Amino acid sequence: MDEARRDRNRGHHGCDHVFFIGFLGAGKTTVARNLGNMFHRSFVDVDHMVERDLHASVAHIFETRGEQAFRVAETRSLESLRRRRSLLVSCGGGIIESEHNAVLMHEMGSVVFLDGTLEDSLRQIRRPEKRPDLGDLAHARELYAHRRPLYEAACDYRVIISGKTFEQVAYDVGELLWERGLL
């Protein structure tokens, strides 16, 4: 992590959240839940927050209201986390599409990129119909290539997930965050 980002992370305006970013199927929700259980810390899933707010599944929101409506609700859900403390936050794969969202996450805490290949992600996605922005394989490759540099630019920490179980990833992330005083 560079010095400028480290300095920026010292003033989180009272929040000390840890945000998990990464491509679809990277295990963000599973890792946040596992760490929450291991460290007795609350976790939230931004996609689930949007679903509760709009009373519909992510797939249904994309289909009936469009991706832009989903992204607006996603940012609103992210902003609502300012009122809370010490959360482990699983973010949707496209949250970094908005530079404003990256700024919000850094204002409220630290950002961990669960970094794997497209193949790692595709192997984990059991219900592709619930991933409306995934599309076919060609679109998935294009989306991954587009988002990867955004994840890299937005993260404070990167944890490689390739060849690991979600439990192993949770332990790796837990160790990293514990060493940095973030858990």
Coordinates of all heavy atoms in Angstrom, one line a residue, residues 24-72:
L24 N -17.5 -11.0 -9.6 CA -18.6 -11.8 -9.3 C -18.1 -13.2 -9.0 O -17.2 -13.8 -9.7 CB -19.5 -11.9 -10.5 CG -20.0 -10.6 -11.1 CD1 -20.6 -10.8 -12.5 CD2 -21.1 -10.0 -10.2
G25 N -18.5 -13.8 -7.9 CA -18.1 -15.2 -7.5 C -16.8 -15.3 -6.8 O -16.3 -16.4 -6.5
A26 N -16.2 -14.1 -6.4 CA -14.9 -14.1 -5.8 C -15.0 -14.6 -4.3 O -14.0 -14.9 -3.7 CB -14.2 -12.8 -5.9
G27 N -16.2 -14.6 -3.8 CA -16.4 -15.1 -2.4 C -16.5 -13.9 -1.4 O -16.3 -14.2 -0.2
K28 N -16.8 -12.8 -1.8 CA -16.8 -11.6 -0.9 C -17.8 -11.8 0.3 O -17.5 -11.6 1.4 CB -17.2 -10.3 -1.7 CG -16.2 -10.0 -2.8 CD -16.7 -8.9 -3.7 CE -17.9 -9.2 -4.5 NZ -17.8 -10.0 -5.6
T29 N -19.0 -12.3 0.0 CA -20.0 -12.4 1.0 C -19.6 -13.6 2.0 O -19.7 -13.4 3.2 CB -21.4 -12.7 0.4 OG1 -21.8 -11.6 -0.4 CG2 -22.4 -12.9 1.5
T30 N -19.1 -14.7 1.4 CA -18.7 -15.8 2.2 C -17.6 -15.4 3.1 O -17.6 -15.8 4.3 CB -18.3 -17.0 1.3 OG1 -19.4 -17.3 0.5 CG2 -17.9 -18.2 2.1
V31 N -16.6 -14.7 2.6 CA -15.4 -14.3 3.4 C -15.9 -13.3 4.5 O -15.5 -13.4 5.7 CB -14.3 -13.7 2.5 CG1 -13.2 -13.0 3.4 CG2 -13.7 -14.8 1.7
A32 N -16.7 -12.3 4.2 CA -17.2 -11.4 5.2 C -18.0 -12.1 6.3 O -17.8 -11.9 7.5 CB -18.1 -10.3 4.5
R33 N -18.8 -13.1 5.9 CA -19.6 -13.8 6.9 C -18.6 -14.7 7.8 O -18.8 -14.7 9.0 CB -20.6 -14.7 6.2 CG -21.5 -15.5 7.2 CD -22.5 -16.5 6.5 NE -23.2 -15.9 5.4 CZ -23.0 -16.2 4.1 NH1 -22.1 -17.2 3.8 NH2 -23.7 -15.7 3.1
N34 N -17.7 -15.4 7.1 CA -16.7 -16.2 7.9 C -15.9 -15.4 8.9 O -15.8 -15.7 10.0 CB -15.8 -17.0 7.0 CG -16.5 -18.1 6.2 OD1 -17.6 -18.5 6.5 ND2 -15.8 -18.7 5.2
L35 N -15.4 -14.2 8.4 CA -14.7 -13.3 9.3 C -15.5 -12.8 10.4 O -15.1 -12.6 11.6 CB -14.0 -12.2 8.5 CG -12.8 -12.6 7.7 CD1 -12.4 -11.4 6.8 CD2 -11.7 -13.1 8.5
G36 N -16.8 -12.4 10.1 CA -17.7 -12.0 11.1 C -17.9 -13.0 12.2 O -17.9 -12.6 13.4
N37 N -18.0 -14.2 11.8 CA -18.2 -15.3 12.8 C -16.9 -15.5 13.6 O -17.0 -15.7 14.8 CB -18.6 -16.6 12.1 CG -20.0 -16.5 11.6 OD1 -20.9 -15.8 12.1 ND2 -20.3 -17.3 10.5
M38 N -15.8 -15.5 12.9 CA -14.5 -15.7 13.6 C -14.2 -14.6 14.6 O -13.6 -14.9 15.6 CB -13.4 -15.8 12.5 CG -13.4 -17.1 11.7 SD -12.4 -17.1 10.2 CE -10.8 -16.6 10.9
F39 N -14.5 -13.4 14.2 CA -14.0 -12.2 15.0 C -15.2 -11.5 15.7 O -15.0 -10.4 16.3 CB -13.3 -11.2 14.2 CG -11.9 -11.8 13.8 CD1 -11.8 -12.4 12.5 CD2 -10.8 -11.6 14.6 CE1 -10.5 -12.9 12.1 CE2 -9.6 -12.1 14.2 CZ -9.4 -12.8 13.0
H40 N -16.4 -12.2 15.7 CA -17.6 -11.6 16.4 C -17.8 -10.2 16.0 O -18.0 -9.3 16.8 CB -17.5 -11.7 17.9 CG -17.1 -13.1 18.4 ND1 -18.1 -14.1 18.3 CD2 -16.0 -13.6 18.8 CE1 -17.5 -15.2 18.8 NE2 -16.3 -15.0 19.1
R41 N -17.8 -10.0 14.7 CA -18.0 -8.7 14.1 C -19.2 -8.7 13.1 O -19.3 -9.7 12.4 CB -16.7 -8.2 13.4 CG -16.7 -6.8 13.0 CD -15.3 -6.3 12.9 NE -15.2 -5.1 12.2 CZ -14.1 -4.5 11.9 NH1 -13.0 -5.0 12.1 NH2 -14.2 -3.3 11.2
S42 N -20.0 -7.7 13.0 CA -21.2 -7.7 12.1 C -20.7 -7.6 10.7 O -19.7 -6.9 10.4 CB -22.1 -6.5 12.5 OG -22.6 -6.7 13.8
F43 N -21.5 -8.2 9.8 CA -21.2 -8.1 8.4 C -22.5 -7.8 7.6 O -23.6 -8.1 8.1 CB -20.6 -9.4 7.8 CG -21.5 -10.6 7.8 CD1 -22.3 -10.9 6.8 CD2 -21.5 -11.4 9.0 CE1 -23.1 -12.0 6.8 CE2 -22.3 -12.5 9.0 CZ -23.1 -12.8 7.9
V44 N -22.4 -7.1 6.5 CA -23.5 -6.7 5.7 C -23.1 -7.0 4.2 O -21.9 -7.0 3.9 CB -24.0 -5.3 5.8 CG1 -24.5 -5.0 7.2 CG2 -22.9 -4.3 5.5
D45 N -24.1 -7.2 3.4 CA -23.9 -7.4 2.0 C -24.7 -6.2 1.3 O -25.9 -6.1 1.4 CB -24.5 -8.7 1.6 CG -24.3 -9.1 0.1 OD1 -24.7 -8.3 -0.7 OD2 -23.8 -10.2 -0.2
V46 N -24.0 -5.4 0.5 CA -24.6 -4.3 -0.1 C -25.7 -4.7 -1.1 O -26.7 -4.0 -1.2 CB -23.5 -3.4 -0.8 CG1 -24.2 -2.2 -1.6 CG2 -22.5 -2.8 0.2
D47 N -25.5 -5.8 -1.9 CA -26.5 -6.2 -2.8 C -27.8 -6.6 -2.0 O -28.9 -6.2 -2.5 CB -26.1 -7.5 -3.6 CG -25.1 -7.2 -4.7 OD1 -24.9 -6.0 -5.0 OD2 -24.6 -8.1 -5.3
H48 N -27.7 -7.2 -0.9 CA -28.9 -7.5 -0.1 C -29.5 -6.3 0.5 O -30.8 -6.2 0.6 CB -28.5 -8.5 1.1 CG -28.1 -9.8 0.6 ND1 -27.3 -10.7 1.4 CD2 -28.3 -10.5 -0.5 CE1 -27.1 -11.8 0.7 NE2 -27.7 -11.7 -0.4
M49 N -28.7 -5.3 0.8 CA -29.3 -4.0 1.2 C -30.1 -3.4 0.1 O -31.2 -2.9 0.4 CB -28.2 -3.0 1.7 CG -27.4 -3.5 2.9 SD -26.0 -2.5 3.3 CE -26.8 -0.9 3.7
V50 N -29.6 -3.4 -1.1 CA -30.4 -2.9 -2.2 C -31.6 -3.7 -2.5 O -32.7 -3.1 -2.7 CB -29.5 -2.9 -3.5 CG1 -30.3 -2.5 -4.7 CG2 -28.3 -1.9 -3.4
E51 N -31.5 -5.0 -2.4 CA -32.7 -5.8 -2.6 C -33.8 -5.5 -1.5 O -35.0 -5.4 -1.9 CB -32.4 -7.3 -2.5 CG -31.6 -7.8 -3.7 CD -31.2 -9.2 -3.5 OE1 -31.0 -9.7 -2.4 OE2 -31.0 -9.9 -4.6
R52 N -33.4 -5.3 -0.3 CA -34.4 -4.9 0.8 C -35.0 -3.5 0.5 O -36.2 -3.3 0.6 CB -33.7 -4.9 2.1 CG -33.7 -6.3 2.8 CD -33.3 -6.2 4.2 NE -32.1 -5.4 4.6 CZ -30.9 -5.9 4.5 NH1 -30.7 -7.1 4.2 NH2 -29.9 -5.1 4.9
D53 N -34.1 -2.6 0.1 CA -34.5 -1.2 -0.2 C -35.5 -1.1 -1.4 O -36.5 -0.4 -1.3 CB -33.3 -0.3 -0.5 CG -33.7 1.1 -0.7 OD1 -34.5 1.7 0.1 OD2 -33.1 1.8 -1.5
L54 N -35.3 -1.9 -2.4 CA -36.1 -1.8 -3.6 C -37.1 -3.0 -3.7 O -37.9 -3.1 -4.7 CB -35.2 -1.8 -4.9 CG -34.3 -0.6 -5.0 CD1 -33.5 -0.7 -6.3 CD2 -35.0 0.7 -4.9
H55 N -37.1 -3.8 -2.7 CA -38.1 -4.9 -2.6 C -38.1 -5.8 -3.8 O -39.1 -6.2 -4.4 CB -39.5 -4.4 -2.3 CG -39.6 -3.5 -1.2 ND1 -39.5 -3.9 0.1 CD2 -39.7 -2.1 -1.1 CE1 -39.6 -2.8 0.9 NE2 -39.7 -1.8 0.2
A56 N -36.9 -6.1 -4.3 CA -36.8 -7.0 -5.5 C -35.4 -7.6 -5.5 O -34.4 -7.0 -4.9 CB -37.0 -6.2 -6.8
S57 N -35.2 -8.7 -6.2 CA -33.9 -9.3 -6.4 C -33.0 -8.4 -7.3 O -33.6 -7.6 -8.1 CB -34.0 -10.7 -7.0 OG -34.4 -10.6 -8.3
V58 N -31.7 -8.6 -7.2 CA -30.8 -7.9 -8.1 C -31.2 -8.1 -9.6 O -31.3 -7.2 -10.4 CB -29.3 -8.2 -7.9 CG1 -28.4 -7.7 -8.9 CG2 -28.9 -7.8 -6.5
A59 N -31.4 -9.4 -9.9 CA -31.8 -9.8 -11.3 C -33.1 -9.1 -11.7 O -33.1 -8.5 -12.8 CB -32.0 -11.3 -11.4
H60 N -34.1 -9.0 -10.8 CA -35.3 -8.4 -11.2 C -35.1 -6.8 -11.3 O -35.7 -6.2 -12.2 CB -36.4 -8.7 -10.1 CG -37.8 -8.2 -10.5 ND1 -38.3 -7.1 -10.1 CD2 -38.7 -8.8 -11.4 CE1 -39.5 -6.9 -10.6 NE2 -39.8 -8.0 -11.4
I61 N -34.3 -6.2 -10.5 CA -34.0 -4.8 -10.6 C -33.4 -4.5 -11.9 O -33.8 -3.6 -12.6 CB -33.1 -4.3 -9.4 CG1 -33.9 -4.5 -8.1 CG2 -32.7 -2.9 -9.6 CD1 -33.0 -4.4 -6.8
F62 N -32.4 -5.3 -12.3 CA -31.7 -5.1 -13.6 C -32.7 -5.2 -14.7 O -32.7 -4.4 -15.7 CB -30.6 -6.1 -13.8 CG -29.2 -5.6 -13.3 CD1 -29.0 -5.4 -12.0 CD2 -28.2 -5.4 -14.3 CE1 -27.7 -5.0 -11.6 CE2 -27.0 -5.0 -13.9 CZ -26.7 -4.8 -12.5
E63 N -33.6 -6.2 -14.6 CA -34.5 -6.5 -15.7 C -35.6 -5.4 -15.8 O -36.0 -5.0 -16.9 CB -35.2 -7.9 -15.5 CG -36.2 -8.3 -16.5 CD -36.8 -9.6 -16.2 OE1 -36.1 -10.5 -15.7 OE2 -38.0 -9.8 -16.4
T64 N -36.2 -5.0 -14.7 CA -37.3 -4.1 -14.8 C -37.0 -2.6 -14.6 O -37.6 -1.7 -15.2 CB -38.3 -4.4 -13.7 OG1 -37.7 -4.3 -12.4 CG2 -38.9 -5.8 -13.8
R65 N -35.9 -2.3 -13.9 CA -35.6 -0.9 -13.7 C -34.3 -0.5 -14.4 O -34.0 0.7 -14.5 CB -35.5 -0.6 -12.2 CG -36.8 -0.9 -11.5 CD -36.6 -0.6 -10.0 NE -37.7 -1.2 -9.2 CZ -37.9 -1.0 -8.0 NH1 -37.2 -0.1 -7.3 NH2 -39.0 -1.5 -7.4
G66 N -33.4 -1.4 -14.7 CA -32.2 -1.2 -15.4 C -31.0 -1.1 -14.4 O -31.2 -0.9 -13.2
E67 N -29.8 -1.3 -15.0 CA -28.6 -1.2 -14.2 C -28.4 0.1 -13.5 O -28.0 0.2 -12.3 CB -27.4 -1.6 -15.0 CG -26.1 -1.6 -14.2 CD -24.9 -2.0 -15.0 OE1 -25.0 -2.4 -16.2 OE2 -23.8 -2.1 -14.4
Q68 N -28.8 1.2 -14.1 CA -28.5 2.5 -13.5 C -29.3 2.7 -12.2 O -28.8 3.2 -11.3 CB -28.9 3.6 -14.5 CG -28.6 5.0 -14.0 CD -27.1 5.2 -13.6 OE1 -26.2 4.7 -14.3 NE2 -26.8 6.0 -12.6
A69 N -30.6 2.2 -12.2 CA -31.4 2.3 -11.0 C -30.7 1.5 -9.9 O -30.7 1.9 -8.7 CB -32.8 1.8 -11.2
F70 N -30.2 0.3 -10.2 CA -29.5 -0.5 -9.3 C -28.3 0.2 -8.7 O -28.1 0.3 -7.5 CB -29.1 -1.9 -9.9 CG -28.3 -2.7 -8.9 CD1 -28.9 -3.4 -7.9 CD2 -26.9 -2.6 -8.9 CE1 -28.1 -4.2 -7.0 CE2 -26.1 -3.4 -8.0 CZ -26.7 -4.1 -7.1
R71 N -27.5 0.8 -9.6 CA -26.3 1.5 -9.2 C -26.6 2.7 -8.3 O -25.8 3.0 -7.3 CB -25.4 2.0 -10.4 CG -24.9 0.9 -11.2 CD -23.9 0.0 -10.6 NE -23.6 -1.2 -11.4 CZ -23.3 -2.3 -10.9 NH1 -23.1 -2.5 -9.6 NH2 -23.0 -3.4 -11.6
V72 N -27.7 3.4 -8.5 CA -28.1 4.6 -7.7 C -28.4 4.0 -6.3 O -28.0 4.6 -5.2 CB -29.2 5.3 -8.3 CG1 -29.9 6.3 -7.3 CG2 -28.8 6.1 -9.5

